[in-house]
Amino acid sequence: MHNVRPDPDALLASLNREEVRARRGQLKVFFGMCPGVGKTYAMLRAAQQELREGTDLVVGIVETHKRAETEALLAGLTVVPRKQVTYRDIQLTEMDLEAILARKPRLALVDEFAHTNAPGSRHPKRYQDVIELLDAGIDVFTTLNVQHLESRADAVRQITGVPVHETVPDSVFELADQIELIDLSPETLLERLREGKVYLGDRAQAAAENFFKDTHLTALRELALRFVAERVDKRLHELRASSPLKTVWRSGERLLVAVGPSPSSTQLVRWTRRMAAAQGAAWVAVSVESSRPLDADAQRRLEQNLALARELGAEVVITHDDDVADALVRVALQNNATQIVVGKSRSPRWLDALRGGNLADRLLRTSGPIDLYVVPAERTAEKPAPWFDWRPAAPSPAHEYAETLGVLAALTTAFWFLTPFTGYLAIGMLYLLAVIALSLRVGRGPVIAAGVFSALIWDFLFIPPVFTFYIGKFEDGVLFITYFVVALIAGHLTARIRAQERHERMREDRATALFHLTQALSAASTLDDAVFAALRQTDALFAAQSALLLGNDDHAGLTPHFAGSFTLDEKALGVADWVWRNRKKAGRFTDTLPSAKGFYVPLVRENTAVGVLVVRVPPEATLTLAQRDLIESFATQLALLVESESLRAAGEREKLLAESDKLHRALLDGVSHELKTPLAVLSGAAENLTTADEPTRAALTTEIRTATRRLTRLVNNLLDQTRLESGALKPRLDWCDAHDLVNAAVDGVQDSLTGHPFEADIPADVPLFRADAALMEQVIANLLLNAALHTPAATPIFLTAGVDGSRARVFFTVADRGPGFPLEMRERLFQKFQRGDAARAGGLGLGLSIIRGFVTAQGGEIVVGENPGGGAVFTIYLPYAAHGKVPTE
Amino acid sequence: MSELAHQPDILVIDDEVQIRRLLRLTLESAGYRVREAETGALGLNEAAVQRPDAVILDLSLPDMGGLEVLRHLREWSHLPVLILSVRGEEAVKIAALDAGADDYLTKPFGGGELLARMRVLLRRAQPAGEVSVMRFGEVEVDFAKRTVTKAGADAHLTVKEYALLRLLLQHRGKVVTHRQLLREVWGPTHEQDTHYLRVHMANLRKKLEVSAGQPAFLKTESGIGYRFTSAE
């Protein structure tokens, strides 16, 4: 099955590892075979070297065990003070992770990689603290003994007989960029031990002595050396995998291991991991959930086993089936597994035979081309699972039992009267019929009960001699036993069918839930709607409360979404933040911050977390593995949605940018033209001024003045437009006199109006109205200017004002006899950079846009219409209300 | 002006070197002496040490706002101050005028306009003798008798109209803000009642101007106040 082509997954994984490593801190492990070889000493010496090279380093935690030569090496190093933790009235000290993260050194020393933190710490394990440090870009030196390696712990226990409690997953150990093996010959070590130079910890003296036996030390040393050698080998392999020149492809292999709740499964997982590592293969751990619910203890052990598999690098698959062999083969085919690993059966042979062969036998028959490994389990104190579990798969409700008993009682009464006519044999058949009929209605428990009871009743009341359980004839005996067996099998079969139905339904429920979710998500028109729908579904489906936090645009923090069904307190926000930053699950049912109330799942897309989903069930309730799996699927769906939403937003932004870009170009073109013309006039005129004669000089001065006015107008327009758009324009409403406004406006544009017959007719009775006088002056001036510039010379311009019929508005009207505007142009006219079709060259098309902006800012409006008899009419309306009384004296 | 015995000293406080140069050219050609200051702090220092006759102050200075310079200056000095501002800064302009600036000019401005404003400022600053009678157009105002006639006939001004006219004439050539007028004539509680002003000014124009629609003397400064002008 050896593949000769590159496995894209492997290549990708290799690339990913490179990428992640680039951002992470570097991990260096000082690795030894057992305590006392001098790991801490070596680490501190390396640290001193770093210090001499100017590296910014701190001591996170170092255990010197009061040894003078080690303590001497601490000199000159910055030690981060330990955190005091109180647990059950005992004062403990732990490494202060927050303090180190806040200090952000280049390098941190963290002794004893496998240490278990005091309860209530952020992480249960110190190696998780280290991972966080690495994630924060801090390099870490740490120390580890071979017996603390997850995959070697068993071997060490077998060698020394001392159980190992604190272990580090191999996958974590593989994060190490550098491993320094601290080797010491067993003789030297024993000598050190005799001299009292080795700290033995709290270990019982006897156990310690057992540990430090010459033979054991040699074995441990070999274990440590072999491990490091294997790793070097694997590194080499990795190197080869990423080099384009290599010709040897080993790993199309994929291993699959069946994981159950038993401790032997733990060994199975470790065994498979070693196999996979040796072959350079991926591996999958499969758990098959049957219809029989596990008790809490077994469930916990199963989860531990699966967690272990996950830690050791396996992909975990959970499936439902009552037939384990079928399920394994199915998953194996789905995952392209080439090898299946199962434990050796420890059931009695006769029972296996009864079941149609043990698991290995049945797999052998159905697995086809897939290789099968049957691994013997080590004997443990564990008692084997009972060979037949009498507990019903799912307890049947009491009413089913009541129903069954009722039916039996009624039938028995009826049969009592029937038996003289039919004989007791027919009665037996009728009972059997009744049991089978019942099995279609009630659960396995009641059916089996019905089988047993009906058999006994039949025997007692009908089979002669009646009223005794004694069976007189041989044929009756055979008949009775047959009856009993048939009834039981019927009950059992029914239960199987029903359980399958239930699983079918569960699978369907899951599919339906996901379907409903995707449907709700696609139906929602906004992200908010979608989140709302998704959270309500989560609430209903898991009988839980749920909340969602989304990453802010600046990637600096999380904001809770308003659709959450509970409010996150300070602590919960902290957990969510951790999950978001580390892109890992946390909270209840996990290893990180397991004391938190909720289950926290990151929404991950393309290596970045876009948010966090929090699901909180009541403390007495729990979420099964399958449910958590479904929640993670939900999170994936939500992450997809958030991502597509942000892509859409980005697209929209881009479109807007393009649009504004277009506008800017138009503006730039217009402005540069409008600026260059008067500037050319100015510089030309200025140059000629010195040499020109007197009359020319006067003409040039006029030109300069005209150019300046034009420039001023342009700059003012641009500034006004900017003020309008930036919202800086705040009209100061005040009582205004129409006459005053018109006078001031006309004064300002007097020069431009020459050449047009101009008439301003403001009736004397136009009342005061509230407006911003400066803005209105400009509005009127600009309207007049517009009329003057865009109508043929000598055509008249007319200005008037008044109060309209309803006395709710005042108006100003500027009418001209120019070409006017076609209907379809009139609305467009007030948009910026719009110029009349017949407009003369020059002008930016800002004038009317500004006028409208000013008028609207004062609560008014401007309309353009047709002047009867030709030309355009601009009318400005402003709200009007009479002012208060003015005292005459 | 160039024949003035005493050459008035003008301090220009503006951060734009080109504006300072232009002001110096314009003012010196009209016979003034010009000092320059680049920042508000330097300007205040110069004003205290050199005691100029008038100050031209730009409202937008880099170190401190022109308004602040003005407030510091007004703590110890009544020097006439002309404010330079740009369009769209009405609120600041009014604040400066209310804070004691004597007049304002909006950039860009012409040289003639500048010199006219300077003349008005310096005239007021000179210890003018009590004027008892003023004439403009056909109008004659006798401050001693408190009478106003137009073409020899009594103009029938009300008390408030007379008070308004007197105030504008006292500050002739200079802008007087709405607030100043309202406070002086109606009292501080009426500072916001600008419609009083509009109504009374309209009446005043009807009684005194040749054409009330196009006043020659009682001019409106849109959004700021009123100014009495006469081409003496």
Side-chain angles (χ1 to χ4, degrees):
Chain A
M1 289 267 350
H2 278 229
N3 228 328
V4 286
R5 75 189 147 76
D7 181 346
D9 285 347
L11 261 182
L12 202 63
S14 166
L15 281 175
N16 279 345
R17 205 148 44 231
E18 286 306 314
E19 193 182 330
V20 170
R21 205 169 282 159
R23 273 182 282 120
R24 294 178 81 101
Q26 300 271 311
L27 177 65
K28 179 169 184 174
V29 180
F30 293 83
F31 189 66
M33 59 179 173
C34 67
V37 292
K39 295 177 303 294
T40 305
Y41 184 81
M43 175 171 80
L44 286 173
R45 284 195 44 178
Q48 289 289 353
Q49 180 60 33
E50 290 281 343
L51 192 66
R52 275 193 292 280
E53 284 166 14
T55 308
D56 174 28
L57 67 89
V58 300
V59 176
I61 195 156
V62 162
E63 303 287 355
T64 59
H65 303 305
K66 301 263 184 292
R67 276 200 295 270
E69 49 191 284
T70 314
E71 268 180 358
L73 279 176
L74 270 175
L77 301 181
T78 316
V79 180
V80 175
R82 297 189 191 187
K83 195 166 60 178
Q84 299 288 327
V85 183
T86 312
Y87 178 67
R88 291 188 184 150
D89 297 330
I90 306 167
Q91 279 290 325
L92 300 168
T93 58
E94 287 293 350
M95 182 174 81
D96 195 343
L97 177 63
E98 283 89 352
I100 303 174
L101 285 171
R103 164 76 173 63
K104 211 170 183 346
R106 183 85 198 80
L107 169 70
L109 307 190
V110 182
D111 211 358
E112 294 183 7
F113 200 33
H115 173 78
T116 303
N117 286 332
S121 302
R122 185 185 296 190
H123 303 294
K125 294 289 192 175
R126 182 171 291 162
Y127 65 75
Q128 292 170 311
D129 293 346
V130 168
I131 290 172
E132 198 161 344
L133 289 173
L134 295 174
D135 283 344
I138 300 170
D139 294 347
V140 175
F141 282 2
T142 191
T143 62
L144 186 74
N145 287 324
V146 69
Q147 83 257 28
H148 294 303
L149 265 177
E150 188 80 64
S151 62
R152 295 300 188 263
D154 267 349
V156 173
R157 187 169 55 80
Q158 281 168 355
I159 293 167
T160 63
V162 180
V164 179
H165 300 295
E166 298 184 327
T167 54
V168 174
D170 291 41
S171 58
V172 172
F173 187 74
E174 264 168 29
L175 291 174
D177 300 276
Q178 223 182 327
I179 294 174
E180 188 163 331
L181 181 70
I182 312 301
D183 192 29
L184 204 65
S185 72
E187 294 75 40
T188 326
L189 182 61
L190 286 172
E191 196 161 315
R192 284 172 55 113
L193 190 66
R194 274 192 297 277
E195 286 165 10
K197 283 185 178 171
V198 176
Y199 173 74
L200 296 178
D202 313 324
R203 219 174 262 115
Q205 192 59 30
E209 278 171 9
N210 203 19
F211 206 95
F212 288 101
K213 268 186 190 155
D214 196 357
T215 46
H216 291 168
L217 286 179
T218 311
L220 284 174
R221 188 182 186 196
E222 193 189 321
L223 202 61
L225 290 171
R226 215 171 52 206
F227 182 82
V228 177
E230 247 176 50
R231 211 185 108 89
V232 170
D233 191 40
K234 186 161 175 284
R235 273 289 165 99
L236 222 78
H237 183 64
E238 252 186 34
L239 215 63
R240 192 146 18 109
S242 58
S243 113
L245 290 174
K246 54 102 206 328
T247 47
V248 186
W249 295 102
R250 277 183 70 193
S251 222
E253 293 295 314
R254 194 178 276 255
L255 279 71
L256 181 146
V257 58
V259 180
S262 75
S264 57
S265 270
T266 316
Q267 294 172 348
L268 212 57
V269 165
R270 294 204 175 118
W271 189 91
T272 312
R273 145 90 178 110
R274 282 201 294 275
M275 278 284 285
Q279 299 185 19
W283 59 297
V284 185
V286 182
S287 164
V288 183
E289 267 190 4
S290 73
S291 51
R292 188 176 308 282
L294 294 167
D295 61 44
D297 206 34
Q299 179 75 33
R300 192 180 47 75
R301 283 200 311 268
L302 172 64
E303 286 178 17
Q304 274 176 359
N305 286 343
L306 290 177
L308 173 70
R310 222 176 258 127
E311 277 177 20
L312 293 178
E315 180 190 337
V316 171
V317 174
I318 295 151
T319 186
H320 306 276
D321 207 310
D322 269 350
D323 190 326
V324 179
D326 279 0
L328 290 180
V329 172
R330 191 179 65 233
V331 175
L333 292 174
Q334 279 167 0
N335 285 277
N336 298 323
T338 52
Q339 303 166 21
I340 295 179
V341 182
V342 293
K344 198 167 192 171
S345 168
R346 284 185 290 148
S347 316
R349 184 165 284 277
W350 62 268
L351 189 64
D352 281 343
L354 206 71
R355 283 174 176 165
N358 62 31
L359 179 60
D361 293 341
R362 279 183 293 147
L363 278 173
L364 212 52
R365 280 200 297 275
T366 51
S367 59
I370 304 170
D371 298 349
L372 188 65
Y373 288 88
V374 182
V375 179
E378 193 199 340
R379 293 244 166 256
T380 57
E382 151 207 33
K383 88 175 186 305
W387 61 270
F388 192 84
D389 196 340
W390 280 102
R391 285 170 306 140
S396 300
H399 70 81
E400 289 193 354
Y401 285 98
E403 190 181 337
T404 309
L405 282 179
V407 167
L408 282 185
L411 285 177
T412 305
T413 315
F415 293 165
W416 182 253
F417 295 106
L418 206 60
T419 179
F421 307 103
T422 57
Y424 67 90
L425 290 179
I427 297 298
M429 291 304 117
L430 287 172
Y431 268 124
L432 200 55
L433 187 66
V435 168
I436 290 172
L438 269 173
S439 73
L440 296 176
R441 277 188 53 80
V442 296
R444 171 172 163 158
V447 170
I448 290 171
V452 172
F453 276 119
S454 61
L456 292 176
I457 294 170
W458 185 43
D459 181 8
F460 191 73
L461 292 182
F462 299 98
I463 299 178
V466 290
F467 300 122
T468 63
F469 286 114
Y470 178 72
I471 296 171
K473 285 191 282 182
F474 176 71
E475 311 94 278
D476 287 353
V478 172
L479 216 58
F480 176 77
I481 289 169
T482 314
Y483 174 92
F484 196 79
V485 170
V486 169
L488 279 187
I489 290 175
H492 189 70
L493 278 180
T494 327
R496 275 273 293 268
I497 291 166
R498 291 173 143 251
Q500 264 164 16
E501 265 175 21
R502 203 164 58 87
H503 275 131
E504 233 13 82
R505 209 164 42 240
M506 262 176 71
R507 209 175 298 167
E508 203 179 288
D509 281 352
R510 186 189 144 86
T512 316
L514 272 175
F515 174 71
H516 281 315
L517 180 74
T518 32
Q519 215 177 23
L521 294 187
S522 58
S525 52
T526 67
L527 180 64
D528 287 343
D529 287 354
V531 169
F532 191 82
L535 292 186
R536 289 302 82 76
Q537 279 226 359
T538 313
D539 289 358
L541 206 57
F542 304 110
Q545 291 179 309
S546 55
L548 185 77
L549 299 100
L550 291 177
N552 298 338
D553 288 341
D554 54 3
H555 303 287
L558 280 173
T559 311
H561 194 274
F562 63 82
S565 47
F566 66 95
T567 329
L568 294 138
D569 57 19
E570 196 71 20
K571 201 177 155 202
L573 286 175
V575 181
D577 193 63
W578 187 91
V579 169
W580 180 62
R581 286 187 196 290
N582 293 276
R583 307 193 298 277
K584 284 173 195 150
K585 281 177 288 180
R588 238 181 121 186
F589 316 113
T590 70
D591 294 340
T592 307
L593 299 161
S595 59
K597 286 198 198 99
F599 176 54
Y600 295 70
V601 190
L603 271 54
V604 181
R605 287 299 301 158
E606 314 261 331
N607 266 335
T608 51
V610 292
V612 177
L613 175 65
V614 188
V615 178
R616 195 181 266 188
V617 289
E620 67 280 4
T622 177
L623 288 170
T624 64
L625 217 51
Q627 282 178 319
R628 275 178 273 150
D629 196 40
L630 189 55
I631 288 174
E632 284 176 45
S633 306
F634 269 40
T636 311
Q637 289 293 324
L638 275 171
L640 265 172
L641 180 84
V642 173
E643 196 197 25
S644 67
E645 173 68 18
S646 70
L647 282 181
R648 200 184 56 74
E652 209 127 280
R653 249 196 324 271
E654 213 141 281
K655 220 172 79 191
L656 272 178
L657 271 179
E659 212 140 274
S660 92
D661 196 43
K662 216 171 79 191
L663 211 59
H664 272 117
R665 260 202 307 279
L667 176 68
L668 208 62
D669 289 351
V671 171
S672 61
H673 172 81
E674 283 298 296
L675 283 173
K676 274 179 192 159
T677 314
L679 281 177
V681 172
L682 283 178
S683 67
E687 244 168 67
N688 291 342
L689 263 184
T690 43
T691 55
D693 54 8
E694 201 50 46
T696 320
R697 204 177 285 192
L700 285 177
T701 317
T702 315
E703 280 311 312
I704 288 176
R705 240 187 242 136
T706 314
T708 318
R709 254 207 307 277
R710 187 166 164 187
L711 261 182
T712 310
R713 207 161 53 226
L714 177 75
V715 171
N716 282 345
N717 273 350
L718 284 172
L719 287 177
D720 286 338
Q721 187 65 36
T722 315
R723 271 207 297 165
L724 272 171
E725 278 171 17
S726 67
L729 186 78
K730 302 250 177 339
R732 296 181 309 119
L733 297 187
D734 200 356
W735 290 105
C736 290
D737 185 332
H739 298 93
D740 275 358
L741 285 180
V742 169
N743 283 335
V746 172
D747 268 357
V749 293
Q750 200 68 59
D751 295 346
S752 307
L753 281 176
T754 50
H756 290 273
F758 172 69
E759 191 188 340
D761 179 20
I762 315 295
D765 63 352
V766 178
L768 300 183
F769 59 95
R770 282 181 79 76
D772 183 309
L775 291 187
M776 276 311 288
E777 184 187 321
Q778 235 174 293
V779 165
I780 295 167
N782 277 5
L783 270 183
L784 291 176
L785 205 63
N786 222 47
L789 287 177
H790 298 302
T791 56
T795 55
I797 297 168
F798 183 73
L799 168 66
T800 187
V803 183
D804 73 354
S806 62
R807 294 196 66 83
R809 300 191 296 183
V810 290
F811 64 84
F812 287 82
T813 300
V814 174
D816 64 48
R817 286 286 177 211
F821 300 98
L823 212 54
E824 66 275 10
M825 230 206 119
R826 288 183 191 163
E827 190 39 42
R828 211 151 45 85
L829 212 54
F830 294 104
Q831 291 169 8
K832 59 183 172 179
F833 308 123
Q834 286 294 337
R835 305 178 50 232
D837 291 338
R840 279 192 334 213
L844 272 178
L846 277 177
L848 285 174
S849 148
I850 292 171
I851 291 173
R852 178 155 79 168
F854 281 2
V855 171
T856 327
Q858 297 174 76
E861 59 169 331
I862 179 166
V863 290
V864 58
E866 204 170 329
N867 195 5
V873 185
F874 287 91
T875 309
I876 294 160
Y877 292 102
L878 288 174
Y880 166 70
H883 58 73
K885 219 166 110 46
V886 177
T888 41
E889 225 19 76
Chain B
M1 275 294 208
S2 48
E3 289 104 50
L4 275 178
H6 164 68
Q7 266 192 321
D9 227 349
I10 315 282
L11 171 62
V12 176
I13 309 177
D14 196 314
D15 57 319
E16 287 290 344
V17 64
Q18 207 169 3
I19 297 276
R20 289 205 305 271
R21 225 158 34 213
L22 180 70
L23 287 174
R24 177 184 283 278
L25 271 173
T26 316
L27 291 170
E28 280 181 348
S29 68
Y32 295 98
R33 278 202 358 224
V34 178
R35 298 176 192 284
E36 294 176 27
E38 201 171 344
T39 64
L42 285 175
L44 281 175
N45 193 37
E46 191 80 355
V49 176
Q50 303 292 341
R51 300 271 166 176
D53 294 292
V55 174
I56 299 179
L57 173 65
D58 187 18
L59 269 186
S60 46
L61 286 172
D63 56 340
M64 50 173 116
L67 204 54
E68 211 185 322
V69 177
L70 181 68
R71 289 206 180 103
H72 282 298
L73 195 66
R74 278 291 174 258
E75 280 168 16
W76 51 267
S77 161
H78 292 289
L79 273 176
V81 175
L82 178 69
I83 296 293
L84 294 186
S85 75
V86 293
R87 214 168 55 113
E89 280 186 350
E90 264 69 23
V92 191
K93 239 181 271 182
I94 292 171
L97 289 170
D98 283 338
D102 295 81
D103 212 336
Y104 72 93
L105 260 183
T106 305
K107 288 190 250 182
F109 48 81
E113 217 176 346
L114 170 72
L115 292 176
R117 291 284 154 84
M118 276 329 289
R119 273 200 301 277
V120 172
L121 285 197
L122 289 170
R123 180 184 57 210
R124 189 210 131 213
Q126 282 167 13
E130 278 299 308
V131 186
S132 63
V133 177
M134 266 196 67
R135 288 186 193 82
F136 56 93
E138 296 179 307
V139 181
E140 187 177 289
V141 184
D142 188 325
F143 290 111
K145 292 189 200 148
R146 301 170 66 89
T147 57
V148 181
T149 57
K150 187 184 176 191
D154 186 1
H156 297 294
L157 294 195
T158 65
V159 177
K160 296 293 184 201
E161 283 162 11
Y162 176 75
L164 271 178
L165 180 63
R166 208 174 73 110
L167 207 58
L168 287 171
L169 287 176
Q170 269 175 0
H171 296 93
R172 60 187 184 280
K174 274 185 27 173
V175 69
V176 187
T177 63
H178 294 148
R179 219 170 95 143
Q180 289 166 347
L181 287 168
L182 283 163
R183 191 173 8 174
E184 291 285 323
V185 178
W186 280 277
T189 52
H190 291 283
E191 275 177 14
Q192 304 303 322
D193 295 330
T194 44
H195 54 294
Y196 289 14
L197 271 183
R198 303 285 181 209
V199 172
H200 281 87
M201 282 304 292
N203 289 338
L204 205 52
R205 280 172 181 158
K206 264 181 235 156
K207 289 176 184 173
L208 303 182
E209 295 275 6
V210 179
S211 156
Q214 279 158 343
F217 306 108
L218 301 168
K219 290 282 178 68
T220 300
E221 297 275 331
S222 289
I224 293 179
Y226 292 93
R227 183 197 300 273
F228 177 88
T229 56
S230 65
E232 288 160 66

